[in-house]
């Protein structure tokens, strides 16, 4: 025990933090540590778990009804439909929608949720005979398309290229899909207000993308954006 | 409602599910209100503290899964910390304890570690009674009444540093007692 001074010190510090006994610099340092030091956070959580037993003997008391009413009206008064919820409702796309919403930097929580974002368009690109699934959301206000790759890998030495297709125009390259789950591509200025008309497509191209600016390989997936 | 159901509700609240939030409120508000009342000993203040607690739950539900606490511990810790901050705000020179449970990054605590902690937790009350009476009262005073070292020192008429040493020893005995089989 005696050669174990440091861990014991940390354990004490965690206990004092959990009890609310720290003040000033000690408090801010300990809070900062809980955020960046997982071992310390474990100690803190363990103390919170232990100390909460002191509330076991506290009997529940049903709060008056008006508290609930006030709470709900405080939280939900503005009621813009958050982006995340729109994605959620759209297809119940749980994981992909979450990853994408996080990537979009969506303010998803709380009463300060900003007014609903501008028009949103989304689609799910499903591979035609190949295991490819990409969720795309066009945020007209940001002027870009956020992509979340749920499934699919490029063939060796090949790239996936993303295209925007609008009526009476050759496909416009939006670039190569990067590796990784999510990415964001800027939309050309003249397409930003045309979300409802855009079809997105993914083609199989040589590494680095089509050499001549038009699709050269197979169209792996194509799907029109719809407003959500 | 069991642990799994409350966890499910919290995870849906993290997705802005209002029905889940209402369900969570219905299932847990009586316990949280009881805790706020115990700390604040004033109905109006306890109502406010409980409301603030649920606002925090709504805003921070997405952080819950990362912090390793059992769901009721998380909720009660938020309510307790919120109530104590409110209590201290009415006192001179108050310091917010800043709801540490909310701000935790992933603790990395696995279910096994937490099962050990909650097993120990069940022994807490017995272990508090095993402490010398004064020390047990001091730990409860800190946790349930938000007393600072200075306030505890005043209450027990001992110098501040003596109080610190004393309570720290009490915490270590508590830890030792709780980890005993």
């Amino acid at each position: 025990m005696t050669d174990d001074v440091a861990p014991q010190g940390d354990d004490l510090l965690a206990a004092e933090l959990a009890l609310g006994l720290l003040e000033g610099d000690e408090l801010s340092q300990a809070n900062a540590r809980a955020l960046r030091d997982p071992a310390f956070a474990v100690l803190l959580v363990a103390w919170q778990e232990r100390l909460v037993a002191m509330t076991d003997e506290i009997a529940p008391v049903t709060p008056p009804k008006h508290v609930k009413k006030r709470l709900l009206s405080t939280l939900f008064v503005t009621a813009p439909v958050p982006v995340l919820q729109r994605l959620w409702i759209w297809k119940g796309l749980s994981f992909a929608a979450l990853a994408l919403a996080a990537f979009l930097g969506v303010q998803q929580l709380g009463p300060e949720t900003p007014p609903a974002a501008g028009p949103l368009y989304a689609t799910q690109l499903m591979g035609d005979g190949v295991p490819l699934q990409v969720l795309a959301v066009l945020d007209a206000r940001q002027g870009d398309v956020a992509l979340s790759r749920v499934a699919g890998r490029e063939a060796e030495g090949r790239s996936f290229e993303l295209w925007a297709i609008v009526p009476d125009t050759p496909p416009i390259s939006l670039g190569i899909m990067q590796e990784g789950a999510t990415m964001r591509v800027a939309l050309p200025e003249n397409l930003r207000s045309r979300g409802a008309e855009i079809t997105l497509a993914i083609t199989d191209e040589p590494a680095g993308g089509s050499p001549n600016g038009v699709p050269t390989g197979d169209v792996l997936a194509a799907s029109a954006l719809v407003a959500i | 409602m069991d642990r799994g159901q409350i966890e499910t509700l919290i995870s849906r609240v993290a997705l802005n599910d209002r029905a889940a939030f209402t369900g969570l409120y219905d299932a847990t508000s009586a316990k949280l209100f009881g805790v706020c009342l115990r700390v604040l000993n004033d109905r109006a203040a306890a109502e406010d503290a409980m409301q603030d607690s649920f606002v925090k739950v709504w805003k921070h539900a997405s952080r819950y899964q990362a912090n390793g606490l059992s769901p009721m511990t998380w909720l009660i810790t938020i309510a307790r910390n919120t109530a104590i901050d409110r209590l201290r705000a009415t006192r001179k020179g108050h310091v917010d304890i800043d709801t540490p449970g909310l701000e935790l990054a992933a603790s990395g605590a696995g279910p096994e570690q937490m099962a050990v902690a909650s097993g120990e937790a069940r022994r807490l009350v017995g272990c508090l009674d095993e402490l010398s009476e004064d020390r047990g009262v001091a730990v409860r005073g800190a946790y349930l009444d938000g007393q600072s070292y200075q306030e505890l020192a005043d209450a027990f008429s001992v110098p501040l540093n003596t109080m610190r040493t004393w309570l720290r020893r009490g915490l270590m005995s508590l830890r030792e007692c709780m980890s005993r089989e």
Side-chain angles (χ1 to χ4, degrees):
Chain A
M1 261 314 203
T2 44
D3 56 351
D4 209 14
V5 174
Q8 197 181 43
D10 278 355
D11 201 25
L12 255 182
L13 186 67
E16 290 179 300
L17 179 60
L19 275 173
L21 286 168
L22 299 178
E23 300 179 58
D25 288 349
E26 279 186 325
L27 173 64
S28 41
Q29 281 164 18
N31 270 331
R33 225 181 126 190
L35 284 171
R36 64 179 157 72
D37 177 351
F40 183 69
V42 169
L43 296 174
L44 175 60
V45 164
W47 273 105
Q48 289 173 326
E49 203 72 65
R50 291 182 193 112
L51 293 170
V52 83
M54 273 188 269
T55 65
D56 285 355
E57 59 209 39
I58 298 173
V61 181
T62 305
K65 285 208 161 49
H66 69 85
V67 181
K68 179 177 176 180
K69 210 172 154 189
R70 193 176 61 184
L71 170 68
L72 296 180
S73 66
T74 303
L75 282 179
F76 305 138
V77 66
T78 49
V81 182
V83 172
L84 177 60
Q85 210 165 330
R86 283 153 75 173
L87 282 169
W88 188 256
I89 291 165
W90 176 49
K91 272 197 175 152
L93 285 166
S94 52
F95 181 77
L98 267 182
L100 192 56
F103 182 69
L104 284 164
V106 170
Q107 289 283 329
Q108 52 169 304
L109 294 173
E112 306 89 343
T113 302
L120 278 185
Y121 297 89
T123 192
Q124 191 176 16
L125 292 147
M126 297 289 286
D128 183 10
V130 290
L132 176 64
Q133 188 184 356
V134 173
L135 180 63
V137 176
L138 186 164
D139 182 344
R141 201 177 48 174
Q142 298 277 345
D144 61 16
V145 180
L147 301 159
S148 178
R149 190 194 301 204
V150 183
R153 283 193 70 83
E154 296 86 340
E156 196 66 42
R158 306 289 291 177
S159 291
F160 287 160
E161 190 158 1
L162 181 73
W163 306 86
I165 301 162
V166 288
D168 308 321
T169 316
I172 300 154
S173 174
L174 298 180
I176 300 302
M177 298 223 16
Q178 289 147 17
E179 302 225 2
T182 50
M183 66 179 286
R184 194 191 274 275
V185 295
L187 204 59
E189 192 79 49
N190 59 342
L191 290 183
R192 290 183 185 178
S193 58
R194 301 178 69 184
E197 303 169 66
I198 297 175
T199 290
L200 292 178
I202 294 171
T203 62
D204 172 57
E205 298 293 340
S210 162
N212 56 7
V214 297
T216 62
D218 292 336
V219 177
L220 303 175
S223 181
L225 288 168
V226 293
I228 60 169
Chain B
M1 195 170 271
D2 66 25
R3 175 185 174 136
Q5 289 171 304
I6 294 174
E7 268 179 350
T8 303
L9 286 177
I10 294 174
S11 62
R12 285 168 52 199
V13 169
L15 302 169
N16 273 6
D17 182 332
R18 294 178 188 185
F21 182 73
T22 308
L24 186 67
Y25 180 92
D26 292 342
T28 63
S29 58
K31 180 68 187 183
L32 269 48
F33 190 48
V35 170
C36 292
L37 266 178
R38 164 63 186 81
V39 170
L40 289 156
N41 199 26
D42 175 287
R43 280 191 85 88
E47 287 175 9
D48 289 347
M50 190 191 60
Q51 175 171 334
D52 290 351
S53 303
F54 274 101
V55 170
K56 291 177 187 174
V57 168
W58 174 251
K59 290 166 80 169
H60 300 295
S62 59
R63 296 195 206 162
Y64 163 69
Q65 266 150 344
N67 77 4
L69 287 173
S70 76
M72 280 315 293
T73 300
W74 186 67
L75 295 168
I76 292 171
T77 301
I78 290 172
R80 178 260 173 184
N81 289 352
T82 304
I84 283 184
D85 280 344
R86 181 167 286 265
L87 185 69
R88 289 184 176 180
T90 63
R91 294 183 191 160
K92 199 174 62 156
H94 90 281
V95 186
D96 272 6
I97 55 178
D98 198 25
T99 55
L102 282 179
E103 307 305 335
L104 275 186
S107 71
E112 284 164 34
Q113 280 166 299
M114 285 306 113
V116 170
S118 66
E120 289 178 8
R122 281 196 289 279
R123 292 194 278 275
L124 176 97
V125 177
C127 287
L128 274 176
D129 294 341
E130 223 176 85
L131 289 183
S132 68
E133 193 187 333
D134 286 355
R135 290 182 191 177
V137 169
V139 172
R140 285 178 198 272
Y143 191 74
L144 292 174
D145 300 314
Q147 288 181 296
S148 64
Y149 273 128
Q150 186 61 60
E151 286 163 331
L152 290 167
D154 293 345
F156 287 91
S157 307
V158 294
L160 179 61
N161 280 335
T162 307
M163 189 68 225
R164 276 178 184 267
T165 310
W166 206 54
L167 189 58
R168 283 174 178 164
R169 285 197 188 131
L171 286 167
M172 282 303 106
S173 327
L174 200 57
R175 175 83 176 77
E176 196 269 321
C177 168
M178 284 187 289
S179 55
R180 225 183 284 154
E181 277 304 319

